[in-house]
Amino acid sequence: MKPDCQRRSMQLSRLLLVSFLATASLHSQAQSVPVDGPSTEDSEPTRDNRLDINAYLVIGLDDYGAFHDKEGTESNTHFILRKAKLGFDYEFNNAWRAELGLDYSIERDNQSLDVGDANIDYRGFDFGNIQIGRMLEPFGFERLDGFSSLMTNERSLATSVFAPGRSSYGLRLNNKKKSYTWAIGIFQEASDPASPRSITGRVTAAPVREPQGALHLGLAASYRDFQDQEFQIKDEAEVFSADNVIRSARFDAKDVQLIGAELAGVYHSLTFSSEAMTQQITQTNDRRWHYSGFYTQLAYFLTGEQREYSKGEFKRVKPLRDIGAVELVSRFSAVDLQDNGIGAKAQILMLGVNYYWKKRFLIRLNYLIPDLSGNALHDDPKGEAITLRAQYRF
């Protein structure tokens, strides 16, 4: 790393440390001023001028073989700062709310400081809420789950490849109840007016929601006007510091149509989730491409905990005992990016173990076994990967 890069890295690291220390101090001093008001199963008590400050830090190690390296290097090990997040959530009153998040990460020699969610939310209508600003598009059970609440070190290959991420700006209507949710919005991928635009919507329902468990069903769709921009899928295959070794064909696209289905549930200490996604892309010359993918994930608490479900998502785990909680996780994810005689098919089997201490500290260890067929970046795309993460919430 060059001297000027090292200086910037040190400056950013100091700034990050100061931010976290300031957050801890502010969080201990933050006051909420509740105002008496009606409360129902799906609503919260009236609150005015409430500021919530949250932060978490995730560090770790990636060790992988030739599969995840574009040059085919057989052994690669990288220490990473996966994510440092500082978030502010301010409720002016029951109707108005504002959100701002900052994300910082270090991957090899690359540093990234990004704005996460940055939006204003109006909740004064009976039918639902209106949000405007920077936010995630409403697509995908796993995509919409917060990073610090994931059961694995990275989201599945299928989610990473297909589920839209955070838009530069957008307008979203949504409503969340304990047994169902819906959301629909219009989004612009980047600040450039020529960047892709989309209409994305999602509905979920929990036909079963009992003390011993719950069942989740979801369906999402997105139409994306690509405005003749270049389209190509590139993914690092569930290893943050790896190269983008899984790739589709590259071409200019007119539009993209995306559909996703969700099935998830929890029963006592067992948690299950699965999604299937399909994508159709229309090239500028009207040639069509079809891609698809899915994942299935199982998790089980050896120490008896049960993951809570509410409003279309799983909640963070609180161990039952002072010694913490242990969870076993397995996942199989696959994508088919091969069409018109070009592209690749890939699949990854992941085995993992998680250790939770209270609600603040978490260690995750994942072992990944990948497989690739079709077009590859080099002749011998083989080799497993191990990823380790330690997470602390301030």
Side-chain angles (χ1 to χ4, degrees):
M1 186 181 293
K2 296 179 181 180
D4 57 339
C5 292
Q6 291 178 329
R7 286 195 297 271
R8 285 197 298 270
S9 176
M10 290 298 294
Q11 290 170 352
L12 285 170
S13 299
R14 293 191 189 103
L15 176 61
L16 186 64
L17 178 60
V18 170
S19 298
F20 275 114
L21 292 174
T23 296
S25 176
L26 285 170
H27 189 68
S28 65
Q29 299 176 35
Q31 300 290 327
S32 61
V33 184
V35 178
D36 292 338
S39 177
T40 67
E41 183 186 21
D42 289 316
S43 65
E44 297 180 354
T46 304
R47 293 179 294 191
D48 287 334
N49 299 322
R50 177 188 176 93
L51 175 63
D52 287 330
I53 304 173
N54 60 85
Y56 64 83
L57 178 68
V58 184
I59 60 175
L61 178 145
D62 291 342
D63 183 85
Y64 54 87
F67 180 93
H68 288 89
D69 186 80
K70 64 182 180 181
E71 304 297 335
T73 305
E74 293 185 357
S75 180
N76 304 268
T77 303
H78 302 286
F79 292 93
I80 61 171
L81 195 166
R82 177 59 182 88
K83 178 176 277 195
K85 180 172 182 178
L86 180 61
F88 304 89
D89 193 331
Y90 185 72
E91 293 189 43
F92 300 91
N93 48 48
N94 249 31
W96 288 97
R97 169 182 166 271
E99 180 182 20
L100 174 65
L102 300 174
D103 297 336
Y104 176 60
S105 62
I106 300 177
E107 178 189 1
R108 302 192 196 180
D109 293 337
N110 301 318
Q111 302 175 56
S112 176
L113 180 60
D114 300 316
V115 175
D117 290 330
N119 56 73
I120 296 176
D121 188 358
Y122 180 71
R123 305 177 178 182
F125 296 116
D126 292 335
F127 70 87
N129 308 330
I130 299 178
Q131 283 180 281
I132 185 169
R134 180 175 170 85
M135 69 195 83
L136 284 170
E137 297 186 33
F139 193 104
F141 183 78
E142 188 183 31
R143 173 66 77 190
L144 295 172
D145 198 8
F147 183 81
S148 66
S149 300
L150 294 176
M151 301 174 222
T152 58
N153 288 335
E154 302 295 335
R155 293 180 173 89
S156 69
L157 176 63
T159 294
S160 180
V161 164
F162 293 113
R166 187 171 279 106
S167 65
S168 180
Y169 55 88
L171 174 67
R172 181 173 69 186
L173 307 179
N174 69 281
N175 200 352
K176 288 187 175 183
K177 302 296 183 180
K178 290 191 175 181
S179 295
Y180 70 90
T181 73
W182 62 265
I184 188 169
I186 55 175
F187 305 92
Q188 185 92 36
E189 190 171 290
S191 56
D192 182 359
S195 66
R197 298 173 297 203
S198 63
I199 300 175
T200 305
R202 177 178 181 248
V203 293
T204 75
V208 177
R209 191 167 63 85
E210 303 292 342
Q212 68 269 26
L215 177 66
H216 166 98
L217 303 173
L219 184 65
S222 180
Y223 174 79
R224 316 182 74 76
D225 179 4
F226 247 70
Q227 303 197 83
D228 298 340
Q229 297 292 309
E230 183 179 274
F231 175 93
Q232 185 183 26
I233 293 171
K234 296 190 291 185
D235 195 84
E236 67 275 11
E238 300 183 15
V239 177
F240 176 69
S241 63
D243 295 320
N244 289 317
V245 293
I246 297 176
R247 304 189 182 196
S248 70
R250 181 174 56 193
F251 49 83
D252 292 338
K254 291 169 61 175
D255 60 51
V256 175
Q257 299 175 49
L258 183 62
I259 297 175
E262 310 166 14
L263 175 64
V266 57
Y267 182 72
H268 295 298
S269 296
L270 180 68
T271 306
F272 164 81
S273 59
S274 182
E275 295 184 69
M277 305 174 200
T278 181
Q279 186 179 63
Q280 176 181 282
I281 310 100
T282 304
Q283 201 171 340
T284 51
N285 62 3
D286 290 328
R287 190 181 197 182
R288 293 178 184 266
W289 300 74
H290 298 270
Y291 299 143
S292 61
F294 75 95
Y295 77 86
T296 298
Q297 180 171 286
L298 283 171
Y300 183 77
F301 279 104
L302 299 177
T303 45
E305 285 74 11
Q306 178 178 323
R307 191 169 267 104
E308 293 183 18
Y309 171 90
S310 181
K311 299 183 178 181
E313 62 184 13
F314 293 133
K315 304 301 181 181
R316 285 196 300 273
V317 174
K318 183 177 181 180
L320 296 174
R321 302 169 181 81
D322 291 339
I323 60 172
V326 178
E327 181 181 36
L328 301 180
V329 186
S330 65
R331 181 175 68 203
F332 181 80
S333 184
V335 296
D336 182 353
L337 306 181
Q338 198 171 59
D339 197 10
N340 296 310
I342 304 173
K345 296 180 181 180
Q347 61 186 41
I348 299 175
L349 174 64
M350 190 281 301
L351 304 173
V353 58
N354 302 331
Y355 171 72
Y356 303 82
W357 184 67
K358 298 185 177 179
K359 292 188 77 171
R360 290 186 178 271
F361 186 67
L362 165 63
I363 294 178
R364 293 188 297 244
L365 178 65
N366 292 174
Y367 177 64
L368 298 93
I369 307 171
D371 184 64
L372 180 71
S373 62
N375 300 125
L377 295 181
H378 55 83
D379 295 333
D380 191 26
K382 296 179 181 178
E384 293 77 25
I386 295 174
T387 63
L388 175 67
R389 303 286 185 268
Q391 174 181 297
Y392 186 78
R393 297 188 66 87
F394 289 81

